[in-house]
Amino acid sequence: MRLTRADRRPAAVFFDRDDTLVHDVPYNADPAKVLPVRGARAALDRLRAAGVPIGVVSNQSGVARGLIGLADLRAVNARVEELLGPFDVWAVCPHGAADGCACRKPEPGLVLRAAGILGVPARECAVIGDIGADVRAAGAAGARGILVPTPRTLPGEVAAAPEVAADLAAAVERLIG
């Protein structure tokens, strides 16, 4: 029997940060406002226990807009790790939508950077996120994308997603069974 890509355990799993791992607070510069989404820690711990490297791939345009400083961003990300445990890699795009960078999702740069840091092929990785840009970035990098919709996810994004899971636990179940 030949294994398909969906049957193989990923070399790494990357997560969007806001509204995927933690509740979105627009341009959050305050670590005290970090609140994990239900089930995030358990889903991450399941991957850790299975020996699957995990990371965060996150657009943070508030930096480019001057709404949040890099030190504040680092403090918020440190709080995410304090609450959810350590990540093997963080790849963050501080650019705005008009900057035309290759790292801002839906471009593949963050996924490719995170995979490169871990020394694994992007095509063997998965990306879990809450909007279409997350799964499009995964696809552009050759990775597997799974959408976990929130009330803010657009119906068209759900319809266009290659895979949809009800929550983080279900997404992780798809990846490691």
Side-chain angles (χ1 to χ4, degrees):
M1 178 170 116
R2 186 171 172 203
L3 291 177
T4 67
R5 182 169 129 169
D7 295 324
R8 282 178 268 168
R9 181 167 288 196
V13 179
F14 307 128
F15 294 85
D16 174 58
R17 189 189 81 178
D18 300 324
D19 264 355
T20 301
L21 293 175
V22 299
H23 291 280
D24 185 31
V25 174
Y27 313 114
N28 186 13
D30 182 357
K33 292 182 179 178
V34 173
L35 177 65
V37 301
R38 188 166 33 119
R41 179 67 189 240
L44 295 168
D45 285 346
R46 186 163 180 221
L47 289 165
R48 290 180 184 111
V52 177
I54 57 174
V56 177
V57 290
S58 181
N59 288 349
Q60 293 296 322
S61 68
V63 175
R65 296 172 190 212
L67 301 173
I68 177 173
L70 287 173
D72 295 324
L73 177 61
R74 284 191 289 276
V76 167
N77 289 345
R79 179 66 176 155
V80 171
E81 283 207 348
E82 182 181 324
L83 295 171
L84 296 178
F87 291 90
D88 298 292
V89 63
W90 282 82
V92 176
C93 173
H95 304 108
D99 291 338
C101 70
C103 60
R104 184 173 171 76
K105 294 180 287 181
E107 297 300 323
L110 290 178
V111 177
L112 295 172
R113 182 186 324 153
I117 290 168
L118 294 177
V120 298
R123 70 182 177 282
E124 295 178 15
C125 297
V127 177
I128 298 173
D130 66 301
I131 61 172
D134 299 321
V135 295
R136 289 195 315 272
R144 182 176 175 185
I146 300 177
L147 184 72
V148 176
T150 70
R152 293 195 292 180
T153 307
L154 300 174
E157 293 174 319
V158 176
E163 293 184 66
V164 178
D167 55 26
L168 287 175
V172 168
E173 178 66 24
R174 285 174 173 262
L175 295 172
I176 64 170

